[in-house]
Amino acid sequence: MVLWILWRPFGFSGRFLKLESHSITESKSLIPVAWTSLTQMLLEAPGIFLLGQRKRFSTMPEIETHERETELFSPPSDVRGMTKLDRTAFKKTVNIPVLKVRKEIVSKLMRSLKRAALQRPGIRRVIEDPEDKESRLIMLDPYKIFTHDSFEKAELSVLEQLNVSPQISKYNLELTYENFKSEEILRAVLPEGQDVTSGFSRIGHIAHLNLRDHQLPFKHLIGQVMIDKNPGITSAVNKINNIDNMYRNFQMEVLSGEQNMMTKVRENNYTYEFDFSKVYWNPRLSTEHSRITELLKPGDVLFDVFAGVGPFAIPVAKKNCTVFANDLNPESHKWLLYNCKLNKVDQKVKVFNLDGKDFLQGPVKEELMQLLGLSKERKPSVHVVMNLPAKAIEFLSAFKWLLDGQPCSSEFLPIVHCYSFSKDANPAEDVRQRAGAVLGISLEACSSVHLVRNVAPNKEMLCITFQIPASVLYKNQTRNPENHEDPPLKRQRTAEAFSDEKTQIASNT
């Protein structure tokens, strides 16, 4: 006896499996029992259909099986290699299962057929029956519904209650460009087997893509597809170099759509406006902006060394903190001032347009001398954010012997949040060692490292947080007896300072 089985894992590509039974020595009376058990097991397995033994099992013709491959909802094959978008070339007719019902019960029935109903962009799930004005045709998912036996028990029960025949009919559905998803279009157009770009960063009305070399011949088509398939996107751009200049912006090419790079974004309930072609903005850092903001309490002080257009400075200022925000890029400085006014925190943020080192050794030094010289009752918590991952660690040298005079109590020393990239097998240890090397100390036992995000394969963005030791910050390391702390107490205070923010990187990063 030979049994053919169509195996369709996860409802996609299918292939036939051939099972051959050999001589059976057991009693013939056991065969029906064994056959029934095998049948039940196969029927319950996802994606398995029995072909043959037609009197025993409900089946669909083998010829229809091949029509239900993944190509059913793929664009026509002749669009492969297209570099200039021709929307008319995506027309295609497919055979769809439909269920005929009386028009007055459609709404009630659709609630029970959510699983079985067709869900495709731009396709109505219910259409008029061209042969009967009093009836409607419900489009069904061809990957789930093959015959009336494909309905689940609950669905069949509802059909019976509403006096609807579960008999399946066929309908020729014409698909157009509007009915295909962006990923389906690009997979059909790009060379077979190549990576498909369907994701991007959204900055207001702008879709920001990072195309790979093999995608560049199709860049204008990709840009137009992104605009067509994402409401609100009117411009698609591609980064054509890395962020390697002092102003932290990058050259970009408009792939499709309008040239206007003036945009408005909303992040964590704050509004920012800027010219995306001239400043740095990364929507993937929204969670990190919130994380740092939550560490500060009302009355604290923040020094934002590389402030950009204000995603750290503005939320922190809204918490009634004092903020000193700096950026070397004149455009960032301009939009930082603008956004502070836009979000009504301009009275709480002092804005500077300086090199990061000059900012630390100028305004930051002056403010720290005043803040750390206050009485113990009035001293706020001081945080320094350094979000320039490519180079921020180098700027840590500006803290070495920055202040004169007697060191303050260690609990009031500034807390630094310094960002960096790492391609090391152990990125946390790599960042600790590099930051410690610049400061001339070990940060192994007195720092925490937070994994911000994966930037690229084998490249992580991290934030190392630590309190600057007095031995680094002060030129004069002679301490007043009243400020001296025993090592155990000092370690306890240091641990408390990081208790709200310590995050360990998983050992497999």
Side-chain angles (χ1 to χ4, degrees):
M1 180 180 65
V2 177
L3 174 66
W4 286 91
I5 300 177
L6 174 65
W7 179 45
R8 190 193 305 274
F10 311 112
F12 292 102
S13 60
R15 61 174 179 159
F16 289 101
L17 302 178
K18 183 179 179 181
L19 301 183
E20 298 186 21
S21 64
H22 299 281
S23 59
I24 300 176
T25 58
E26 292 83 4
S27 169
K28 291 183 180 181
S29 63
L30 295 178
I31 293 177
V33 176
W35 177 254
T36 303
S37 300
L38 174 62
T39 301
Q40 185 63 31
M41 179 185 69
L42 292 174
L43 287 174
E44 291 176 355
I48 292 181
F49 307 93
L50 299 183
L51 305 180
Q53 303 294 326
R54 299 187 183 280
K55 293 181 180 179
R56 197 181 297 266
F57 305 110
S58 174
T59 63
M60 50 181 285
E62 289 91 331
I63 191 170
E64 290 185 12
T65 301
H66 297 286
E67 295 175 359
R68 300 176 192 276
E69 298 293 332
T70 52
E71 276 65 30
L72 184 66
F73 286 120
S74 295
S77 59
D78 55 4
V79 302
R80 178 81 64 194
M82 178 186 293
T83 56
K84 184 176 181 181
L85 183 61
D86 178 7
R87 297 176 181 84
T88 63
F90 288 82
K91 288 183 179 180
K92 178 181 181 179
T93 300
V94 295
N95 202 243
I96 298 294
V98 293
L99 183 67
K100 182 175 180 178
V101 302
R102 303 186 309 277
K103 65 179 183 180
E104 61 269 16
I105 65 169
V106 169
S107 297
K108 185 182 296 186
L109 184 58
M110 288 301 292
R111 288 194 291 270
S112 301
L113 293 182
K114 289 181 179 179
R115 180 198 70 89
L118 178 66
Q119 298 188 32
R120 294 289 303 175
I123 294 179
R124 293 169 56 193
R125 290 185 291 178
V126 180
I127 61 173
E128 289 188 8
D129 185 345
E131 300 176 357
D132 183 359
K133 292 184 179 181
E134 298 303 312
S135 298
R136 297 291 182 266
L137 299 179
I138 298 178
M139 301 272 191
L140 301 175
D141 189 333
Y143 293 125
K144 297 177 181 177
I145 306 299
F146 310 100
T147 70
H148 66 277
D149 288 336
S150 303
F151 288 110
E152 294 181 345
K153 288 182 179 179
E155 295 166 341
L156 286 171
S157 177
V158 172
L159 292 176
E160 184 178 355
Q161 292 174 19
L162 296 175
N163 196 28
V164 176
S165 170
Q167 185 64 40
I168 300 299
S169 302
K170 301 296 181 182
Y171 180 82
N172 288 327
L173 175 65
E174 183 179 283
L175 299 177
T176 65
Y177 173 80
E178 286 69 28
N179 305 133
F180 295 108
K181 303 172 184 177
S182 59
E183 186 174 352
E184 293 168 339
I185 293 171
L186 298 181
R187 181 169 286 115
V189 169
L190 268 63
E192 203 164 0
Q194 296 282 7
D195 292 337
V196 173
T197 295
S198 59
F200 57 87
S201 295
R202 181 166 187 160
I203 302 93
H205 67 281
I206 304 166
H208 172 211
L209 299 92
N210 289 322
L211 298 183
R212 299 184 179 181
D213 290 343
H214 73 271
Q215 298 163 338
L216 294 179
F218 308 90
K219 60 185 180 181
H220 297 298
L221 180 145
I222 293 173
Q224 188 58 58
V225 171
M226 293 297 106
I227 292 173
D228 291 344
K229 297 299 178 178
N230 296 278
I233 295 293
T234 59
S235 181
V237 303
N238 180 44
K239 183 172 71 172
I240 58 178
N241 72 339
N242 293 322
I243 301 174
D244 57 3
N245 61 60
M246 66 177 68
Y247 290 158
R248 278 206 304 173
N249 53 12
F250 51 81
Q251 292 181 339
M252 63 178 68
E253 175 187 16
V254 177
L255 303 177
S256 188
E258 60 184 73
Q259 299 284 326
N260 177 28
M261 293 294 104
M262 287 293 303
T263 190
K264 177 188 291 188
V265 300
R266 186 85 173 159
E267 181 185 273
N268 301 326
N269 297 318
Y270 301 100
T271 301
Y272 304 88
E273 294 185 23
F274 48 83
D275 183 338
F276 183 56
S277 67
K278 297 179 179 179
V279 304
Y280 176 79
W281 180 269
N282 191 338
R284 293 189 174 96
L285 295 179
S286 172
T287 301
E288 183 63 11
H289 297 152
S290 294
R291 186 183 75 88
I292 295 297
T293 300
E294 291 171 2
L295 297 178
L296 281 86
K297 300 175 182 178
D300 287 350
V301 176
L302 173 68
F303 295 102
D304 193 350
V305 185
F306 312 105
V309 298
F312 284 116
I314 290 171
V316 169
K318 275 289 188 180
K319 296 185 71 171
N320 200 28
C321 297
T322 300
V323 178
F324 298 82
N326 172 72
D327 204 282
L328 178 62
N329 184 348
E331 283 289 321
S332 295
H333 177 259
K334 178 180 78 174
W335 291 108
L336 176 58
L337 286 168
Y338 178 88
N339 289 319
C340 285
K341 291 181 180 179
L342 183 64
N343 291 278
K344 300 179 181 178
V345 294
D346 50 302
Q347 299 302 311
K348 299 176 182 177
V349 182
K350 296 181 180 180
V351 178
F352 301 84
N353 180 209
L354 300 170
D355 175 79
K357 186 175 182 180
D358 294 336
F359 176 63
L360 289 168
Q361 295 180 338
V364 173
K365 176 180 179 179
E366 293 174 7
E367 292 297 327
L368 284 178
M369 290 294 290
Q370 294 183 27
L371 291 169
L372 301 182
L374 295 173
S375 63
K376 185 173 182 179
E377 292 73 20
R378 296 177 57 195
K379 281 188 176 73
S381 178
V382 178
H383 293 255
V384 183
V385 170
M386 305 175 69
N387 184 22
L388 185 64
K391 297 183 178 181
I393 285 181
E394 300 173 16
F395 286 82
L396 291 175
S397 62
F399 287 109
K400 294 179 71 172
W401 310 305
L402 182 65
L403 303 183
D404 298 309
Q406 296 295 330
C408 69
S409 176
S410 62
E411 63 184 303
F412 301 116
L413 292 169
I415 298 171
V416 174
H417 311 277
C418 182
Y419 292 83
S420 181
F421 294 129
S422 177
K423 294 183 178 180
D424 195 85
N426 188 337
E429 186 62 26
D430 172 53
V431 170
R432 279 196 182 96
Q433 288 182 357
R434 288 191 287 119
V438 172
L439 294 170
I441 60 172
S442 173
L443 293 173
E444 189 67 33
C446 57
S447 66
S448 66
V449 177
H450 175 76
L451 176 62
V452 179
R453 69 186 188 98
N454 176 256
V455 178
N458 302 316
K459 183 178 181 181
E460 313 291 348
M461 177 179 176
L462 309 102
C463 176
I464 180 169
T465 295
F466 60 92
Q467 206 163 18
I468 307 175
S471 60
V472 172
L473 189 61
Y474 286 88
K475 294 177 183 177
N476 184 353
Q477 299 182 50
T478 303
R479 301 177 59 83
N480 287 333
E482 63 185 20
N483 286 333
H484 179 72
E485 291 181 299
D486 293 330
L489 179 58
K490 182 176 180 179
R491 285 195 295 270
Q492 178 184 348
R493 291 187 183 278
T494 302
E496 291 172 352
F498 294 116
S499 62
D500 293 334
E501 59 192 273
K502 200 152 193 174
T503 306
Q504 297 297 331
I505 290 186
S507 59
N508 61 349
T509 56

